[in-house]
Amino acid sequence: MRAISQDVTGGPEVLKETELPRPEPGVGQIQIAVRAAGVNPTDWKHRADGLFIRTLPRVLGWDVSGVVTAVGIGVTLFRPGDEVFGMVPYPYGVGTHAEYVTGPARAFVHKPAALDHVRAGALPLAALTAYQALVDTADVRPGQRVLIHAAAGGVGHLAVQIAKAKGAHVIGTASSGKHDFLRSLGADEVIDYRETDFAEAAGPVDVVLDTIGGDTLTRSLDVVREGGTVVSILARSVPEDTAKAAERGVRLALLIVEADHAGMREIAALAEAGALRPHIAATFPLEEAARAHEMGESGRTQGKIVLEVK
């Protein structure tokens, strides 16, 4: 099969198309012919410095939408020919930027008819991150005020929709050129972080989803009501932030996304109902993965970047 691999860490130029053996499904696994696979910030971070995965060579990618081509012993959820989407277990189940991938059957669900493969391939990692942050961790409820940083980004624009589906009052930060986009997704308030201090403009909120870290995370702790929650998807903070959160009676949760069959079922249901629509910033053929990384690292994209396998 064709795959995008790297032999060394570095810039996008280290990504090369190569031929690898097609992976065979093990016990409880399925083999998927990849039709589309999202590209996420974690991909270019792993490409650049290894992050969690230090072994080389390696094939990146966690998102996948495609067709089941074989099932391992014990699999009852799927049969060859089924269209599925999901996220291979993060971080060590990597490898979807290829023509075929294997993964645990329960990391996947049937692809909704309302989604083509490109949109389905854009959803899993980013949507699971948003869902696990807002629903599983923060338990967002109707009427709560939720502040989402970088709300037009890959995770952010899906988080806006998930929070709205839960009945929250959603406040998003983004540059002014992305405000109409956020309003179209249902954001109730938008803040231009370049012109306005979000800590003053947002007012007291119940939940913050931090996708930026650093000073943004620190200042977010001042915005949350006592008893509220700040979830950072960067999974790191400084001791001062932990102490500040404890002093203010705020929960500071550091999240790393997990493969999640139940979560994927909820995401599929939201997509089927039209309540969750991934915005596609661009698509690239598999062999142009380096260009996809270059675009993602520019920091100017709105929504998700997807690789297509034909």
Side-chain angles (χ1 to χ4, degrees):
M1 69 172 186
R2 293 185 302 137
I4 302 300
S5 184
Q6 63 179 113
D7 296 319
V8 296
T9 55
E13 71 280 356
V14 305
L15 299 175
K16 307 293 183 183
E17 183 179 337
T18 188
E19 292 283 332
L20 294 175
R22 185 184 301 185
E24 296 299 327
V27 175
Q29 292 187 325
I30 58 176
Q31 180 194 71
I32 300 169
V34 180
R35 295 290 180 264
V39 180
N40 297 285
T42 192
D43 288 297
W44 53 79
K45 291 175 183 177
H46 274 87
R47 184 213 71 227
D49 64 15
L51 200 57
F52 297 118
I53 304 174
R54 300 294 178 175
T55 55
L56 290 166
R58 59 171 168 259
V59 177
L60 296 172
W62 286 268
D63 286 330
V64 62
S65 180
V67 180
V68 177
T69 44
V71 301
I73 296 171
V75 174
T76 60
L77 292 182
F78 306 110
R79 294 180 291 182
D82 286 348
E83 293 187 320
V84 298
F85 77 130
M87 183 191 79
V88 292
Y90 185 87
Y92 303 112
V94 68
T96 67
H97 293 171
E99 289 184 311
Y100 291 87
V101 70
T102 57
R106 290 185 179 273
F108 303 95
V109 296
H110 288 94
K111 181 181 74 65
L115 293 176
D116 60 19
H117 281 297
V118 168
R119 285 170 173 75
L123 275 174
L125 187 148
L128 279 175
T129 300
Y131 190 89
Q132 290 170 7
L134 296 175
V135 181
D136 294 343
T137 304
D139 189 25
V140 168
R141 296 183 297 278
Q144 288 189 318
R145 292 173 59 83
V146 176
L147 172 62
I148 298 170
H149 289 298
V155 171
H157 87 290
L158 300 174
V160 168
Q161 297 172 72
I162 290 170
K164 286 302 295 182
K166 290 297 178 180
H169 179 94
V170 178
I171 308 159
T173 67
S175 58
S176 59
K178 299 174 181 177
H179 286 190
D180 287 344
F181 170 63
L182 290 179
R183 292 188 182 98
S184 76
L185 299 178
D188 298 287
E189 300 178 42
V190 287
I191 298 171
D192 184 349
Y193 64 91
R194 295 174 177 174
E195 302 292 336
T196 306
D197 182 353
F198 75 82
E200 295 181 3
V205 301
D206 300 285
V207 175
V208 175
L209 175 55
D210 166 51
T211 63
I212 300 172
D215 181 62
T216 298
L217 172 57
T218 301
R219 291 193 294 132
S220 292
L221 293 168
D222 293 323
V223 183
V224 184
R225 294 187 176 99
E226 183 177 356
T229 303
V230 175
V231 185
S232 176
I233 65 171
L234 301 181
R236 60 180 180 267
S237 66
V238 297
E240 290 80 6
D241 289 337
T242 303
K244 184 176 183 179
E247 181 182 329
R248 298 200 66 254
V250 171
R251 181 188 179 192
L252 174 57
L254 308 178
L255 174 78
I256 293 180
V257 66
E258 300 176 70
D260 179 0
H261 182 73
M264 282 303 305
R265 290 182 64 180
E266 293 296 326
I267 288 162
L270 287 170
E272 190 73 72
L276 187 61
R277 297 173 288 118
H279 176 78
I280 307 303
T283 61
F284 294 88
L286 179 66
E287 60 270 19
E288 295 183 13
R291 288 184 56 210
H293 278 233
E294 289 173 359
M295 181 178 184
E297 285 184 292
S298 73
R300 296 189 293 270
T301 55
Q302 187 170 282
K304 289 296 302 290
I305 300 170
V306 179
L307 297 178
E308 288 190 86
V309 183
K310 297 184 178 179

